[in-house]
Amino acid sequence: GMPIYDITVPLTNEMPTYPGDPGVQITDWYSLAQGDPANVTRLNIGVHTGTHVDAPAHFIKGASPVESLPLDVLVGPSQVVEVPEGKLSIDKEFVAQHCEPGVTRVLFKTRNSSFWNDQSIGFREDFTYLALTAAEYLVAKGVRLVGIDYLSIEQFGQKDHPTHLALLSKGVVIVEGLNLSAVPAGKYELICLPMRIRSGLGDGAPARAILRS
């Protein structure tokens, strides 16, 4: 059959989270080992943990919550674009050169993917990111979903979140925290389904993301 790539980062208590976000607490609620009738695990995480989707409500007051994101954007043809190791800012020129015309879902595979291999280092502030000019270019080209392989698409420490706003204000879905290590550059079908969370602020949700060739 067709290879299926799981591009989702496993949820673990040790994994890095974005500075200031809640840490991950996966704990035993009931346990067979303690004489309980079943194993039941409790999950306590922020919605921007690991592989997750940002909704417009993340940064824009009154904007669409994660539950309303269109499924036809979250599933469909996508392009994985490989970014050279030394390139820390994905700029307009690079995107114009490498993103194929007519592609509506773009996932950037960068050196960030290798960060998931050694999580003992904690959160990395020097991750590769999408520049504002590139985000604006993608919006102008009709891209509906943009993914990257670390916990933010925005340069660390950037004030006012211009890259997020450029995408989210136009209804472009952002997927963060992917691991594209095993995936060659090229065309795939993306299936990225965020948890259907209705309560709360609607800012985002953890997702299971896969690619099929």
Side-chain angles (χ1 to χ4, degrees):
M2 297 180 300
I4 296 180
Y5 295 96
D6 192 345
I7 56 172
T8 314
V9 174
L11 294 174
T12 69
N13 286 324
E14 298 73 37
M15 72 193 308
T17 51
Y18 198 84
D21 272 20
V24 181
Q25 295 172 298
I26 303 172
T27 52
D28 303 342
W29 185 254
Y30 292 130
S31 147
L32 290 169
Q34 288 168 22
D36 296 320
N39 284 326
V40 174
T41 300
R42 176 184 173 128
L43 189 58
N44 188 1
I45 59 172
V47 294
H48 303 275
T49 301
T51 305
H52 66 277
V53 167
D54 285 0
H58 187 27
F59 284 110
I60 303 166
K61 194 174 179 167
S64 309
V66 68
E67 191 191 16
S68 73
L69 295 177
L71 293 176
D72 63 356
V73 174
L74 294 158
V75 177
S78 66
Q79 183 190 0
V80 172
V81 174
E82 188 151 3
V83 179
E85 188 84 9
K87 189 165 192 61
L88 301 197
S89 172
I90 304 168
D91 54 25
K92 177 184 172 177
E93 290 68 32
F94 179 85
V95 166
Q97 225 179 335
H98 293 90
C99 293
E100 298 193 14
V103 166
T104 51
R105 299 166 196 83
V106 180
L107 308 179
F108 292 103
K109 174 186 180 177
T110 77
R111 62 193 250 288
N112 300 343
S113 281
S114 68
F115 296 172
W116 299 114
N117 300 336
D118 179 15
Q119 299 184 13
S120 63
I121 51 177
F123 181 84
R124 293 274 301 252
E125 297 184 357
D126 64 334
F127 57 85
T128 300
Y129 59 89
L130 187 70
L132 175 59
T133 54
E136 290 170 340
Y137 176 87
L138 291 169
V139 167
K141 287 289 174 195
V143 168
R144 309 278 314 276
L145 179 147
V146 182
I148 200 159
D149 49 359
Y150 208 54
L151 292 170
S152 180
I153 201 165
E154 188 106 38
Q155 181 178 17
F156 186 75
Q158 180 71 260
K159 298 276 180 285
D160 303 324
H161 316 286
T163 294
H164 276 92
L165 288 173
L167 297 169
L168 296 175
S169 67
K170 298 294 194 287
V172 177
V173 175
I174 299 173
V175 187
E176 294 168 330
L178 296 168
N179 185 347
L180 294 162
S181 299
V183 184
K187 297 279 195 62
Y188 300 90
E189 179 191 20
L190 170 69
I191 301 168
C192 173
L193 298 178
M195 292 172 68
R196 190 173 181 176
I197 301 173
R198 184 170 292 176
S199 292
L201 297 168
D203 45 300
R208 187 69 180 264
I210 65 171
L211 291 172
R212 292 200 294 195
S213 54

